[in-house]
Amino acid sequence: MEVFLIRVLQFMLAISLLVLLHEGGHFFFSKLFGVRVEKFYIFFDWKFSLFKFKPKNSDTEYGIGWLPLGGYCKIAGMIDESFDTEQMKQPVQDYEFRSKPAWQRLLIMIGGVLVNFLLALFIYSQILFWWGDTYVPVKDMTLGMKFNQEAKSYGFKDGDILIGTEKKAFKDFSADLYREISEAKRVDIIRDGKQMSISLPGDLNLLNMIKSDPSFVRPLIPARIDSVLVGSPAEKAGIKTGDYILALNGTPVDSYNEFIDLIGRREDMLLTAKTQADSLKARTVSIVFGNENSKDTTIVVLTPELKLGFTIPSIADIYKPVTTEYSFLESIPAGVKYGWHVLASYVDDMKYVFSAEGAKSLGGFGAIGSLFPPMWDWYMFWKMTAFLSIILAFMNILPIPALDGGHVLFLLYEMITHRKPSETFMIRAEYVGFGILILLMVVANLNDILRWLGYL
């Protein structure tokens, strides 16, 4: 429960900040051009609000809604998600959105996206300034990698040390590494101390590479025990720090990766167990462990939910990370470059959304919240907030009615043709766009529920 609450708090704080600043972008340009903002809300206040106030001599009501699906500025003389059609029947006033030149209305509409994008670049710059860029270079992972069967079919072998592609050297082990391999026609490696190359088609499916179980490539981690929890099945069985897991249920284990794969199969058995006997069989495992100073020991352990109660060294424990530090001035262009790379990668990955697997990968509030760490970590909080700001900027600029991008599309049409779409058309488009958004939200959150139930 504590982990859940920490993630919820991080998610709510990040979303509140992003919505506040996004709507603040619309608010700023509206006020700059003399357009009245009737309501400024964080979250939606459908039927009622949690909090609201209207300063004396102000045209704007400020508040917090109860429905955390975004926020809004109700701009006078504009067809938006409030569907206030009565106002549009009144004579045009000089303080209304519809009375302003198209270029001013365009800036008002892109104000939120602009703020979100600039915010992401600023946060990334400050992350680099305060924390630097810390990572383990892939070329320094001297134990090499663990590959799945698809990777091995192209010629990779467990223990290969990845160097780079025909385009550039690998930096760290991240989604970028998968992306670079998926687009590569050649991957350079070191095998048994000799450099060689593996030929690839150049169009591997990135989504399948990451989602396959096991994934296309993972850092090879030794099955060496780093610590044993007091009172755990591992401690009761006599497993100690420094021991190696050598076999599980009669299958040799050459790495922790292999151990996880074998335990995963056991977990599948546990999930499909129909009787108590089936459950008991799934949770009973035979383990061979030992080290160079002791004779190998074979034990049979009954585990609760297949949790043995030991930890293994992390990548940062096995290899020495390197840190690139930035001065304040250096962090600005570096943060801009990093943020632009994140945006470009996200846009490139959008092509997978239109595939069957991509649709299944859509996530709602649960999936987004799970991206935050289980413990409060300001570095990860700001990194996730910047990433969500990039997503919010991109999604809002999509040319879908009811989103900022839909309004921008119609404004560009007006600026090019010098003809305004009719109010009837705009109202109908708003309804269609709003319906599309609701449908996407339902699908994304339904996927979260199905994943939680084990159907996805």
Side-chain angles (χ1 to χ4, degrees), residues 28 105 130 161 278 390 411:
F28 170 78
R105 286 180 278 138
W130 289 101
I161 302 171
D278 291 338
I390 289 276
L411 280 166

Side-chain angles (χ1 to χ4, degrees), residues 213 245 248-249 253 256-271 282-287 301 303 305-308 310:
D213 188 19
I245 302 297
L248 186 70
N249 296 324
V253 170
Y256 184 68
N257 312 74
E258 187 75 22
F259 174 81
I260 287 295
D261 293 343
L262 293 172
I263 282 290
R265 296 175 198 172
R266 216 69 180 179
E267 288 173 345
D268 292 340
M269 289 175 56
L270 187 59
L271 286 172
R283 292 186 293 113
T284 304
V285 294
S286 172
I287 303 173
V301 182
T303 64
E305 302 302 318
L306 291 169
K307 306 299 181 186
L308 289 163
F310 65 80

Side-chain angles (χ1 to χ4, degrees), residues 9 12-13 82 122 128 133 211 221 234 260 269 289 309 323 335 406 411 424:
L9 285 172
M12 293 301 294
L13 178 59
S82 67
F122 174 75
L128 292 175
D133 184 14
K211 287 195 66 178
I221 301 175
I260 287 295
M269 289 175 56
F289 66 93
T323 299
L411 280 166
T424 301

